[in-house]
């Protein structure tokens, strides 16, 4: 009996913990609404259309703007790129442009 | 002296103009306002807000022109003894600009493929050109003005 | 009631008797649930983020196609669009990409229109004069610079151009601005050598969201070589990408599910001679078949519930406390500049329920069914075999 009760108690504890986490999550989402409002404003100010998640290719940086309608599509999962596109790493000749940082006098 | 009188007149005119326009401006519904015809909350449908403004500055909100005119044609009822003469103005939301405008300035389009929260709607559109465009785009031929509207012409649900 | 408590007690004792085996099952099981739940939480949160934030974007983006490729839009394309009823404004956008061959980083360069005066979420000042830029946090961190420093970039003519950084985006906006450099629009045109009568695309804002689809059709009618993308399509794209049933995240979860199936299969077919004998003895000392089944049910439930709860809690901690550190590399792909996740929890209780169903039920079934087979055979033959 002792062991079963202890076990049941542990289960209850974990359940309560999980529920507490989920409730906390809901609350956090409500608090986040203010920040989302700010970000929404930024999106509308700059006219952004996509999340800055994948910057490796045009069709991943701006997923929603990918050339869905062009004859040779330029997007992941495009029938004419698949399956080669999923196996081949991008190894084209890349442009030679670059970024250099020039620090301000005082910061050095 | 005449100069000062002129100024005074101007100020009085401005003031009265301001108060007049203030009184005529309809307020937007808040979260608790319900449509007296169907009982639904109005605020979630900003593109359909319609309102009757009475001369005592009170307002009734409807979730679409159809419900508003149902109420309007039924006045006075035993729940609401007010008559149509007590109405100062009716405001409907212009479909294209989403702004409340006086119903007299709007065309009402019947039988389009645009549905409101209560089904078939009379869609208010400002300007004849825009009304024709709307009718063409949304498969309707029936453009009405406010004085052409009769209770029989209100769309069924 | 006490009977069930006692059965549970016995089930726990018998689980503890085979400590090594059951513990390893529990660990694998927990990890499987944790992986699946992490994927669920992460995708759900990213989806939430995308929908909440991108809903502020343009109602309609009009691009132009030429010879089957994306092409710059002539600015006079805006005129017929502006005339359509329901259109609030048409704003040409100038943007493009820039590659840094040293760090192998792709940057997004964006022209800033004259309006608005004050940008939100920007520390420092809005770039206004010719050689000024505002930069996303991700770039600043990668290169290690701050406001006041300058960047040397190579323009379309191959000339080095010096740009002073006047503003940095706040950390909270990483998901939007991580790889972004903002230029005054005229300067970006010069940098890209883009003709002044063209833009990358047109952002159209519409009063009534209901009318967007109709307007898109009309834009296509008036400008046949144009390609309008509605906001709903943009949001739908993200909805699909981060849906748990699609994309690469399915690959991750599929691997975990298969691993779990092997585990369950092994458990189902590999009921050991030991266990078989135990069931035989229990039957011989007078246990009912229902008792044996209840016992096995409790065993299965104990393992799977602990694994499910522990796994979900682990996944939560992993996703929201440690920023999905283990999953991020999978999602990251080849992108060098990848934002840190600081995600807001978003839980779809329905999905969690499905996850529970998908993991707990088959496991219990796998424990009970073979035991049931053993329990209905004659105890004597079970013990002898």
């Amino acid at each position: 009996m002792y062991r079963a009760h202890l076990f049941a108690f542990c289960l209850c504890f974990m359940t309560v913990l999980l529920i507490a986490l989920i409730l906390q999550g809901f609350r956090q989402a409500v608090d986040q609404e203010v920040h989302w409002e700010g970000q929404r404003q930024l999106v509308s100010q700059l006219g952004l259309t996509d999340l800055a998640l994948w910057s490796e290719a045009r069709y991943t940086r701006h997923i929603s703007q990918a050339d869905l309608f062009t004859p040779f599509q330029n997007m992941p999962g495009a029938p004419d790129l698949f399956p080669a596109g999923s196996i081949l790493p991008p190894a084209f000749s890349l442009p030679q442009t670059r970024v250099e940082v020039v620090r301000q006098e005082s910061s050095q | 002296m005449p100069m000062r009188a002129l100024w005074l007149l101007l100020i009085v005119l401005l003031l009265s103009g301001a108060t007049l326009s203030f009184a005529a401006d309809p307020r937007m519904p808040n979260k608790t306002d319900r449509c007296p015809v169907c009982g639904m909350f109005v605020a979630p449908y900003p593109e359909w807000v319609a309102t009757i403004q009475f001369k005592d500055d009170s307002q009734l909100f409807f979730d679409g022109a159809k419900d508003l005119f149902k109420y309007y044609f039924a006045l006075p009822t035993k729940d609401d003894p007010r008559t149509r003469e007590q109405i100062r103005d009716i405001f409907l939301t212009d479909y294209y600009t989403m702004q409340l405008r006086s119903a007299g300035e709007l065309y009402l389009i019947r039988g389009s493929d645009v549905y409101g929260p209560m089904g078939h709607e009379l869609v208010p559109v400002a300007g004849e050109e825009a009304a024709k465009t709307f009718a063409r785009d949304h498969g309707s031929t029936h453009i009405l003005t406010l004085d052409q509207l009769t209770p029989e012409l209100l769309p069924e649900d | 009631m006490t009977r069930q408590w006692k059965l549970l007690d016995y089930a726990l004792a018998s689980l503890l008797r085979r400590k090594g085996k059951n513990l390893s099952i529990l660990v694998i099981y927990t990890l499987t649930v944790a992986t699946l739940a992490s994927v669920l939480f992460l995708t759900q949160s990213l989806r939430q983020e995308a929908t909440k934030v991108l809903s502020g974007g343009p109602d309609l983006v009009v691009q132009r196609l030429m010879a089957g490729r994306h092409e710059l839009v002539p600015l006079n394309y805006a005129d017929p669009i502006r005339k359509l009823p329901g259109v609030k404004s048409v704003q040409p956008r100038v943007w493009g990409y820039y590659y840094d061959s040293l760090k192998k980083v792709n940057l997004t360069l964006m022209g800033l229109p004259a309006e608005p005066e004050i940008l939100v979420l920007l520390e420092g000042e809005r770039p206004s004069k010719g050689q000024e830029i505002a930069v996303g946090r991700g770039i600043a961190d990668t290169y290690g610079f701050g406001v006041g420093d300058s960047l040397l970039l190579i323009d379309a003519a191959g000339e080095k151009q010096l740009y002073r950084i006047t503003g940095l985006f706040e950390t909270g906006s990483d998901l939007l601005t991580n790889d972004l450099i903002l230029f005054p629009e005229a300067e970006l045109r010069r940098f890209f050598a883009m003709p002044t009568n063209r833009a990358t695309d047109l952002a159209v804002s519409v009063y009534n969201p209901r009318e967007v689809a109709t307007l898109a059709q009309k834009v296509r009618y008036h400008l046949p070589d144009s390609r309008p993308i509605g906001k709903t399509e943009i949001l739908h794209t993200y909805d699909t990408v981060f849906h748990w049933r699609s994309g690469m995240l399915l690959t991750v979860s599929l691997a975990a599910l298969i691993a779990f199936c092997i585990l369950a299969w092994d458990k189902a077919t590999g009921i050991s001679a030991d266990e078989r004998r135990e069931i035989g003895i229990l039957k011989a000392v007078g246990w009912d078949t229902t008792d044996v089944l209840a016992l096995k049910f409790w065993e299965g439930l104990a393992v799977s519930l602990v694994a499910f709860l522990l796994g979900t809690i682990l996944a939560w901690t992993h996703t929201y406390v440690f920023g999905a550190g283990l999953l991020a590399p999978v999602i990251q792909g080849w992108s060098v500049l990848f934002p840190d996740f600081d995600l807001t929890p978003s839980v779809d209780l329905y999905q969690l329920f499905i996850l529970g169903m998908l993991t707990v039920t088959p496991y219990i079934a796998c424990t009970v069914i073979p035991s049931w087979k053993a329990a209905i055979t004659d105890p004597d033959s079970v013990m002898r075999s």
Side-chain angles (χ1 to χ4, degrees):
Chain A
M1 288 294 260
Y2 165 70
R3 197 182 276 144
H5 284 146
L6 188 70
F7 176 75
F9 174 76
C10 282
L11 271 190
C12 286
F13 174 73
M14 282 199 284
T15 314
V16 168
L17 183 65
L18 186 64
I19 291 172
L21 281 177
I22 291 172
L23 287 182
Q24 154 72 12
F26 282 130
R27 227 197 60 202
Q28 220 171 314
V30 173
D31 293 346
Q32 183 69 16
E33 207 58 58
V34 188
H35 299 270
W36 279 327
E37 186 50 50
Q39 292 184 39
R40 229 180 344 252
Q41 216 180 327
L42 181 75
V43 166
S44 81
Q45 280 185 343
L46 300 180
L48 301 179
T49 51
D50 288 86
L51 298 183
L53 278 175
W54 302 287
S55 53
E56 68 236 60
R58 219 169 61 185
Y59 57 80
T60 57
R61 175 61 180 86
H62 291 96
I63 319 174
S64 68
Q65 312 290 301
D67 315 1
L68 281 157
F69 301 98
T70 53
F72 279 86
Q73 291 160 12
N74 198 353
M75 55 155 196
D80 53 335
L81 291 184
F82 211 78
S86 63
I87 305 166
L88 291 173
F92 357 92
S93 63
L94 292 157
Q96 288 305 304
T97 48
R98 59 184 185 272
V99 173
E100 282 170 44
V101 180
V102 181
R103 286 171 208 291
Q104 59 184 338
E105 300 298 318
S106 57
S107 75
Q108 288 195 330
Chain B
M1 263 318 155
M3 197 63 187
R4 176 173 286 176
L6 213 67
W7 272 115
L8 216 69
L9 190 72
L10 196 70
I11 287 168
V12 167
L13 269 176
L14 270 175
L15 275 178
S16 61
T19 44
L20 265 181
S21 73
F22 177 75
D25 265 350
R27 69 174 176 89
M28 285 301 279
N30 55 34
K31 273 189 179 159
T32 53
D33 283 320
R34 283 168 186 265
C35 170
V37 177
C38 64
M40 299 211 306
F41 287 112
V42 179
Y45 308 101
E47 69 267 44
W48 294 110
V49 169
T51 175
I52 297 179
Q53 191 181 44
F54 291 95
K55 286 186 176 144
D56 60 356
D57 270 348
S58 66
Q59 265 180 264
L60 279 176
F61 293 98
F62 304 84
D63 56 354
K66 179 178 65 179
D67 278 0
L68 181 140
F69 286 115
K70 260 187 205 166
Y71 195 88
Y72 173 81
F73 286 125
L75 277 181
T77 56
K78 61 176 184 297
D79 296 326
D80 190 350
R82 288 179 283 195
T83 58
R84 289 185 214 163
E85 280 68 47
Q86 280 171 278
I87 292 174
R88 182 186 291 136
D89 206 350
I90 291 172
F91 294 94
L92 305 172
T93 307
D94 172 28
Y95 178 82
Y96 281 123
T97 59
M98 297 250 289
Q99 270 156 5
L100 274 184
R101 302 185 63 161
S102 174
E105 308 165 9
L106 294 163
Y107 289 86
L108 301 166
I109 292 124
R110 193 171 167 270
S112 71
D113 60 4
V114 176
Y115 296 99
M118 292 305 288
H120 291 280
E121 263 301 346
L122 281 174
V123 182
V125 175
E128 196 181 350
E129 202 54 46
K132 279 182 185 155
T133 312
F134 178 87
R136 195 179 59 233
D137 290 348
H138 295 284
S140 163
T141 46
H142 208 159
I143 304 177
L144 299 163
T145 55
L146 184 60
D147 30 290
Q148 289 169 337
L149 189 68
T150 59
E152 293 74 45
L153 282 173
L154 289 178
E156 301 289 311
D157 284 326
Chain C
M1 198 60 202
T2 17
R3 185 190 182 79
Q4 294 302 324
W5 276 116
K6 286 194 170 140
L7 278 172
L8 176 59
D9 212 30
Y10 186 89
L12 291 172
S14 90
L15 281 176
L16 284 176
R17 225 177 304 135
R18 286 182 284 274
K19 214 176 282 169
K21 185 191 169 199
N22 285 318
L23 208 66
S24 51
I25 286 178
L26 188 69
V27 169
I28 296 172
Y29 199 161
T30 308
L31 285 180
T32 312
V33 174
T35 315
L36 286 172
S38 290
V39 170
L40 273 187
F41 289 154
L42 180 64
T43 50
Q44 187 67 21
S45 282
L46 281 172
R47 226 146 66 100
Q48 168 176 271
E49 207 81 21
T51 1
K52 290 274 181 192
V53 167
L54 292 178
S55 60
D59 295 303
L60 208 59
V61 175
V62 179
Q63 297 188 342
R64 181 187 175 212
L65 291 185
M66 185 194 257
R69 296 175 138 236
H70 174 239
E71 177 59 43
L72 299 182
V73 190
L75 287 184
N76 60 18
Y77 270 40
D79 301 337
I81 302 176
R82 263 192 208 106
K83 284 197 195 107
L84 297 173
V87 171
K88 193 186 204 169
S89 67
V90 182
Q91 181 77 48
R93 300 198 304 164
V94 178
W95 56 277
Y97 305 104
Y98 183 84
Y99 180 70
D100 175 19
S101 55
L102 296 177
K103 294 223 180 206
K104 306 212 177 346
V105 164
N106 278 315
L107 305 172
T108 301
L109 273 49
M110 201 158 196
L112 194 57
E115 301 266 316
E117 280 295 314
I118 294 160
L119 282 177
V120 290
L121 299 179
L122 187 76
E123 284 166 19
E125 279 166 41
R126 174 192 200 285
S128 47
K129 290 193 289 293
Q131 309 281 58
E132 290 182 345
I133 51 175
V135 178
R137 189 63 67 170
I139 308 174
D141 289 347
T142 309
Y143 291 94
F145 58 74
V147 173
D149 294 332
S150 299
L151 288 187
L152 256 185
L153 306 174
I154 299 168
D155 70 8
E159 304 281 332
K160 284 188 172 180
Q161 300 285 344
L162 194 66
Y163 291 101
R164 205 171 70 81
I165 295 138
T166 58
L168 274 184
F169 280 103
E170 282 174 24
T171 331
S173 66
D174 276 356
L175 222 46
L176 292 166
T177 58
N178 202 45
D179 66 341
L180 208 61
I181 302 186
L182 287 184
F183 288 71
E185 196 182 286
E187 179 56 31
L188 190 63
R189 278 180 192 284
R190 218 182 53 69
F191 185 83
F192 280 147
M194 189 185 283
T196 45
N197 59 352
R198 307 249 163 150
T200 313
D201 50 28
L202 303 172
V204 181
S205 93
V206 176
Y207 287 106
N208 192 339
R210 276 167 185 277
E211 189 62 7
V212 172
T214 316
L215 279 173
Q217 275 178 14
K218 285 202 221 170
V219 168
R220 278 186 78 96
Y221 172 79
H222 287 289
L223 307 163
D225 62 345
S226 73
R227 196 194 124 205
I229 306 166
K231 184 150 74 185
T232 40
E233 290 169 84
I234 294 176
L235 294 176
H236 181 75
T237 308
Y238 279 89
D239 206 51
T240 327
V241 169
F242 294 128
H243 200 281
W244 62 294
R245 278 183 311 202
S246 66
M248 70 211 126
L249 290 153
L250 183 70
T251 326
V252 180
S253 36
L254 216 59
L257 259 184
I258 289 172
F260 176 71
C261 284
I262 294 172
L263 173 80
W265 177 252
D266 180 59
K267 186 89 176 98
T269 50
I271 175 167
S272 63
D274 246 15
E275 283 174 88
R276 217 177 271 271
R277 230 182 42 168
E278 187 190 332
I279 292 169
I281 293 171
L282 288 176
K283 293 265 311 199
V285 296
W287 283 46
D288 260 352
T289 309
T290 43
D291 291 336
V292 175
L293 290 188
L295 167 71
K296 285 293 158 186
F297 174 78
W298 282 121
E299 271 186 26
L301 195 71
V303 173
S304 53
L305 265 189
V306 168
F308 176 72
L309 289 172
L310 210 61
T312 318
I313 292 169
L314 271 181
W316 183 283
T317 327
H318 166 233
T319 314
Y320 298 126
V321 181
F322 297 105
L326 297 172
L327 266 186
V330 182
I331 301 181
Q332 185 171 5
W334 281 300
S335 52
V336 179
L337 273 184
F338 197 67
D340 286 333
F341 289 136
D342 181 17
L343 296 168
T344 311
S346 166
V347 179
D348 188 341
L349 290 178
Y350 168 72
Q351 285 183 4
L352 210 58
F353 177 72
I354 295 275
L355 180 67
M357 278 322 219
L358 273 181
T359 49
V360 172
T361 332
Y363 187 82
I364 293 180
C366 286
T367 349
V368 173
I369 292 170
S371 314
W372 171 66
K373 274 190 192 153
I376 52 170
T377 37
D378 180 40
D380 183 49
S381 67
V382 169
M383 275 186 283
R384 272 177 210 283
S385 64

